[in-house]
mmCIF file of all heavy atoms in Angstrom:
data_model
loop_
_atom_site.group_PDB
_atom_site.id
_atom_site.type_symbol
_atom_site.label_atom_id
_atom_site.label_comp_id
_atom_site.label_asym_id
_atom_site.label_seq_id
_atom_site.Cartn_x
_atom_site.Cartn_y
_atom_site.Cartn_z
ATOM 1 N N TYR N 178 169.919 -94.774 86.960
ATOM 2 C CA TYR N 178 170.742 -94.329 85.823
ATOM 3 C C TYR N 178 172.172 -94.084 86.286
ATOM 4 O O TYR N 178 173.168 -94.226 85.522
ATOM 5 C CB TYR N 178 170.179 -93.080 85.165
ATOM 6 C CG TYR N 178 168.936 -93.332 84.445
ATOM 7 C CD1 TYR N 178 167.641 -93.292 85.062
ATOM 8 C CD2 TYR N 178 168.913 -93.621 83.014
ATOM 9 C CE1 TYR N 178 166.488 -93.468 84.337
ATOM 10 C CE2 TYR N 178 167.727 -93.830 82.335
ATOM 11 C CZ TYR N 178 166.538 -93.754 82.964
ATOM 12 O OH TYR N 178 165.392 -94.007 82.270
ATOM 13 N N THR N 179 172.312 -93.575 87.528
ATOM 14 C CA THR N 179 173.603 -93.277 88.013
ATOM 15 C C THR N 179 174.567 -94.542 88.153
ATOM 16 O O THR N 179 175.776 -94.387 88.092
ATOM 17 C CB THR N 179 173.540 -92.595 89.412
ATOM 18 O OG1 THR N 179 172.734 -93.425 90.241
ATOM 19 C CG2 THR N 179 172.880 -91.248 89.294
ATOM 20 N N ASP N 180 173.977 -95.698 88.224
ATOM 21 C CA ASP N 180 174.743 -96.937 88.245
ATOM 22 C C ASP N 180 175.305 -97.224 86.887
ATOM 23 O O ASP N 180 176.300 -97.966 86.828
ATOM 24 C CB ASP N 180 173.866 -98.126 88.666
ATOM 25 C CG ASP N 180 173.363 -97.944 90.137
ATOM 26 O OD1 ASP N 180 174.008 -97.257 90.907
ATOM 27 O OD2 ASP N 180 172.280 -98.519 90.455
ATOM 28 N N LEU N 181 174.696 -96.759 85.818
ATOM 29 C CA LEU N 181 175.016 -97.189 84.459
ATOM 30 C C LEU N 181 176.379 -96.647 84.050
ATOM 31 O O LEU N 181 176.955 -97.121 83.036
ATOM 32 C CB LEU N 181 173.949 -96.777 83.454
ATOM 33 C CG LEU N 181 172.575 -97.427 83.683
ATOM 34 C CD1 LEU N 181 171.566 -96.892 82.692
ATOM 35 C CD2 LEU N 181 172.707 -98.986 83.486
ATOM 36 N N THR N 182 176.878 -95.572 84.710
ATOM 37 C CA THR N 182 178.139 -95.068 84.294
ATOM 38 C C THR N 182 179.370 -95.916 84.726
ATOM 39 O O THR N 182 180.506 -95.664 84.353
ATOM 40 C CB THR N 182 178.367 -93.604 84.872
ATOM 41 O OG1 THR N 182 178.259 -93.677 86.263
ATOM 42 C CG2 THR N 182 177.337 -92.687 84.298
ATOM 43 N N ASP N 183 179.062 -96.951 85.486
ATOM 44 C CA ASP N 183 180.077 -97.909 85.916
ATOM 45 C C ASP N 183 180.591 -98.683 84.654
ATOM 46 O O ASP N 183 179.819 -99.033 83.804
ATOM 47 C CB ASP N 183 179.609 -98.878 87.012
ATOM 48 C CG ASP N 183 180.672 -99.759 87.639
ATOM 49 O OD1 ASP N 183 181.205 -100.633 86.900
ATOM 50 O OD2 ASP N 183 180.972 -99.483 88.821
ATOM 51 N N GLU N 184 181.889 -99.038 84.688
ATOM 52 C CA GLU N 184 182.480 -99.694 83.509
ATOM 53 C C GLU N 184 181.830 -101.015 83.271
ATOM 54 O O GLU N 184 181.781 -101.467 82.088
ATOM 55 C CB GLU N 184 183.992 -99.904 83.770
ATOM 56 C CG GLU N 184 184.754 -100.589 82.620
ATOM 57 C CD GLU N 184 184.739 -99.721 81.328
ATOM 58 O OE1 GLU N 184 184.583 -98.487 81.432
ATOM 59 O OE2 GLU N 184 184.906 -100.350 80.249
ATOM 60 N N LYS N 185 181.255 -101.717 84.227
ATOM 61 C CA LYS N 185 180.667 -103.012 84.032
ATOM 62 C C LYS N 185 179.436 -102.964 83.148
ATOM 63 O O LYS N 185 178.939 -103.982 82.614
ATOM 64 C CB LYS N 185 180.344 -103.674 85.394
ATOM 65 C CG LYS N 185 179.247 -103.003 86.191
ATOM 66 C CD LYS N 185 179.132 -103.702 87.536
ATOM 67 C CE LYS N 185 178.122 -103.003 88.427
ATOM 68 N NZ LYS N 185 178.037 -103.598 89.762
ATOM 69 N N TRP N 186 178.820 -101.712 83.006
ATOM 70 C CA TRP N 186 177.654 -101.586 82.143
ATOM 71 C C TRP N 186 178.009 -101.012 80.798
ATOM 72 O O TRP N 186 177.147 -100.609 80.031
ATOM 73 C CB TRP N 186 176.588 -100.731 82.860
ATOM 74 C CG TRP N 186 176.128 -101.321 84.134
ATOM 75 C CD1 TRP N 186 176.334 -100.858 85.406
ATOM 76 C CD2 TRP N 186 175.319 -102.539 84.265
ATOM 77 N NE1 TRP N 186 175.681 -101.701 86.281
ATOM 78 C CE2 TRP N 186 175.088 -102.685 85.641
ATOM 79 C CE3 TRP N 186 174.783 -103.430 83.360
ATOM 80 C CZ2 TRP N 186 174.326 -103.804 86.120
ATOM 81 C CZ3 TRP N 186 174.056 -104.499 83.833
ATOM 82 C CH2 TRP N 186 173.810 -104.665 85.212
ATOM 83 N N LYS N 187 179.303 -100.965 80.526
ATOM 84 C CA LYS N 187 179.776 -100.377 79.213
ATOM 85 C C LYS N 187 179.066 -101.086 78.030
ATOM 86 O O LYS N 187 179.086 -102.310 77.915
ATOM 87 C CB LYS N 187 181.247 -100.521 79.055
ATOM 88 C CG LYS N 187 181.842 -100.049 77.744
ATOM 89 C CD LYS N 187 181.816 -98.570 77.605
ATOM 90 C CE LYS N 187 182.502 -98.051 76.385
ATOM 91 N NZ LYS N 187 182.383 -96.593 76.172
ATOM 92 N N ASP N 188 178.367 -100.299 77.196
ATOM 93 C CA ASP N 188 177.661 -100.832 75.982
ATOM 94 C C ASP N 188 176.562 -101.793 76.298
ATOM 95 O O ASP N 188 176.088 -102.558 75.432
ATOM 96 C CB ASP N 188 178.640 -101.447 75.007
ATOM 97 C CG ASP N 188 179.628 -100.390 74.364
ATOM 98 O OD1 ASP N 188 179.140 -99.272 74.220
ATOM 99 O OD2 ASP N 188 180.728 -100.763 74.110
ATOM 100 N N LYS N 189 176.120 -101.843 77.558
ATOM 101 C CA LYS N 189 175.083 -102.846 77.925
ATOM 102 C C LYS N 189 173.671 -102.157 77.905
ATOM 103 O O LYS N 189 172.640 -102.881 78.004
ATOM 104 C CB LYS N 189 175.315 -103.372 79.356
ATOM 105 C CG LYS N 189 176.582 -104.175 79.520
ATOM 106 C CD LYS N 189 176.560 -105.422 78.654
ATOM 107 C CE LYS N 189 177.760 -106.244 78.894
ATOM 108 N NZ LYS N 189 177.775 -107.539 78.064
ATOM 109 N N TYR N 190 173.583 -100.881 77.768
ATOM 110 C CA TYR N 190 172.309 -100.243 77.742
ATOM 111 C C TYR N 190 172.145 -99.337 76.486
ATOM 112 O O TYR N 190 173.089 -98.684 76.078
ATOM 113 C CB TYR N 190 172.020 -99.361 79.021
ATOM 114 C CG TYR N 190 173.108 -98.348 79.311
ATOM 115 C CD1 TYR N 190 172.922 -96.988 78.928
ATOM 116 C CD2 TYR N 190 174.293 -98.688 79.913
ATOM 117 C CE1 TYR N 190 173.887 -96.056 79.198
ATOM 118 C CE2 TYR N 190 175.270 -97.673 80.254
ATOM 119 C CZ TYR N 190 175.054 -96.403 79.862
ATOM 120 O OH TYR N 190 175.977 -95.434 80.135
ATOM 121 N N THR N 191 170.924 -99.335 75.944
ATOM 122 C CA THR N 191 170.624 -98.560 74.784
ATOM 123 C C THR N 191 169.966 -97.246 75.180
ATOM 124 O O THR N 191 168.985 -97.245 75.911
ATOM 125 C CB THR N 191 169.751 -99.321 73.795
ATOM 126 O OG1 THR N 191 170.404 -100.517 73.371
ATOM 127 C CG2 THR N 191 169.378 -98.461 72.580
ATOM 128 N N ILE N 192 170.540 -96.130 74.607
ATOM 129 C CA ILE N 192 169.924 -94.821 74.778
ATOM 130 C C ILE N 192 169.183 -94.459 73.513
ATOM 131 O O ILE N 192 169.760 -94.481 72.425
ATOM 132 C CB ILE N 192 170.995 -93.758 75.118
ATOM 133 C CG1 ILE N 192 171.762 -94.147 76.414
ATOM 134 C CG2 ILE N 192 170.329 -92.396 75.190
ATOM 135 C CD1 ILE N 192 172.987 -93.234 76.627
ATOM 136 N N LEU N 193 167.912 -94.217 73.549
ATOM 137 C CA LEU N 193 167.130 -93.826 72.425
ATOM 138 C C LEU N 193 167.551 -92.439 71.898
ATOM 139 O O LEU N 193 167.861 -91.556 72.716
ATOM 140 C CB LEU N 193 165.624 -93.842 72.694
ATOM 141 C CG LEU N 193 165.110 -95.248 73.101
ATOM 142 C CD1 LEU N 193 163.574 -95.153 73.274
ATOM 143 C CD2 LEU N 193 165.410 -96.348 72.076
ATOM 144 N N ASN N 194 167.592 -92.245 70.578
ATOM 145 C CA ASN N 194 168.091 -90.999 70.019
ATOM 146 C C ASN N 194 167.278 -89.799 70.518
ATOM 147 O O ASN N 194 166.084 -89.923 70.835
ATOM 148 C CB ASN N 194 168.125 -91.062 68.478
ATOM 149 C CG ASN N 194 166.743 -90.953 67.858
ATOM 150 O OD1 ASN N 194 166.192 -89.817 67.808
ATOM 151 N ND2 ASN N 194 166.164 -92.029 67.412
ATOM 152 N N PHE N 195 167.928 -88.676 70.531
ATOM 153 C CA PHE N 195 167.299 -87.483 71.164
ATOM 154 C C PHE N 195 166.425 -86.733 70.111
ATOM 155 O O PHE N 195 165.967 -85.633 70.438
ATOM 156 C CB PHE N 195 168.438 -86.582 71.653
ATOM 157 C CG PHE N 195 169.299 -87.224 72.685
ATOM 158 C CD1 PHE N 195 170.663 -87.195 72.585
ATOM 159 C CD2 PHE N 195 168.711 -87.848 73.810
ATOM 160 C CE1 PHE N 195 171.462 -87.841 73.537
ATOM 161 C CE2 PHE N 195 169.504 -88.443 74.741
ATOM 162 C CZ PHE N 195 170.853 -88.495 74.646
ATOM 163 N N GLY N 196 166.163 -87.336 68.987
ATOM 164 C CA GLY N 196 165.213 -86.744 68.020
ATOM 165 C C GLY N 196 163.764 -87.210 68.445
ATOM 166 O O GLY N 196 162.812 -86.585 68.030
ATOM 167 N N GLY N 197 163.668 -88.211 69.270
ATOM 168 C CA GLY N 197 162.427 -88.646 69.763
ATOM 169 C C GLY N 197 162.059 -88.182 71.146
ATOM 170 O O GLY N 197 162.924 -87.832 71.911
ATOM 171 N N GLY N 198 160.777 -88.214 71.383
ATOM 172 C CA GLY N 198 160.283 -87.671 72.702
ATOM 173 C C GLY N 198 160.801 -88.440 73.906
ATOM 174 O O GLY N 198 161.094 -87.873 74.917
ATOM 175 N N THR N 199 160.859 -89.770 73.821
ATOM 176 C CA THR N 199 161.321 -90.560 74.919
ATOM 177 C C THR N 199 162.767 -90.230 75.261
ATOM 178 O O THR N 199 163.109 -90.004 76.438
ATOM 179 C CB THR N 199 161.137 -92.040 74.681
ATOM 180 O OG1 THR N 199 159.758 -92.361 74.608
ATOM 181 C CG2 THR N 199 161.736 -92.856 75.759
ATOM 182 N N GLY N 200 163.626 -90.253 74.271
ATOM 183 C CA GLY N 200 165.056 -89.980 74.479
ATOM 184 C C GLY N 200 165.272 -88.581 75.079
ATOM 185 O O GLY N 200 166.025 -88.440 76.024
ATOM 186 N N LYS N 201 164.556 -87.585 74.576
ATOM 187 C CA LYS N 201 164.755 -86.257 75.081
ATOM 188 C C LYS N 201 164.233 -86.098 76.479
ATOM 189 O O LYS N 201 164.858 -85.443 77.299
ATOM 190 C CB LYS N 201 163.997 -85.273 74.110
ATOM 191 C CG LYS N 201 164.682 -84.923 72.861
ATOM 192 C CD LYS N 201 164.233 -83.622 72.251
ATOM 193 C CE LYS N 201 162.754 -83.542 71.989
ATOM 194 N NZ LYS N 201 162.321 -82.315 71.282
ATOM 195 N N THR N 202 163.108 -86.704 76.746
ATOM 196 C CA THR N 202 162.486 -86.574 78.096
ATOM 197 C C THR N 202 163.354 -87.241 79.141
ATOM 198 O O THR N 202 163.487 -86.737 80.257
ATOM 199 C CB THR N 202 161.063 -87.049 78.084
ATOM 200 O OG1 THR N 202 160.315 -86.412 77.077
ATOM 201 C CG2 THR N 202 160.426 -86.771 79.429
ATOM 202 N N ILE N 203 163.856 -88.442 78.816
ATOM 203 C CA ILE N 203 164.723 -89.068 79.789
ATOM 204 C C ILE N 203 166.008 -88.320 80.045
ATOM 205 O O ILE N 203 166.455 -88.177 81.152
ATOM 206 C CB ILE N 203 165.032 -90.533 79.365
ATOM 207 C CG1 ILE N 203 163.736 -91.394 79.492
ATOM 208 C CG2 ILE N 203 166.176 -91.156 80.155
ATOM 209 C CD1 ILE N 203 163.897 -92.833 79.050
ATOM 210 N N LEU N 204 166.550 -87.740 78.976
ATOM 211 C CA LEU N 204 167.748 -86.906 79.169
ATOM 212 C C LEU N 204 167.371 -85.764 80.091
ATOM 213 O O LEU N 204 168.153 -85.434 81.025
ATOM 214 C CB LEU N 204 168.145 -86.324 77.799
ATOM 215 C CG LEU N 204 169.266 -85.204 77.816
ATOM 216 C CD1 LEU N 204 170.519 -85.794 78.391
ATOM 217 C CD2 LEU N 204 169.444 -84.648 76.441
#
């Protein structure tokens, strides 16, 4: 995940909303 903050991955990855268990747990 630390690689994803690079500009080359801008808008290339989807984060699931934090209302769901997967999104909250990954956060």
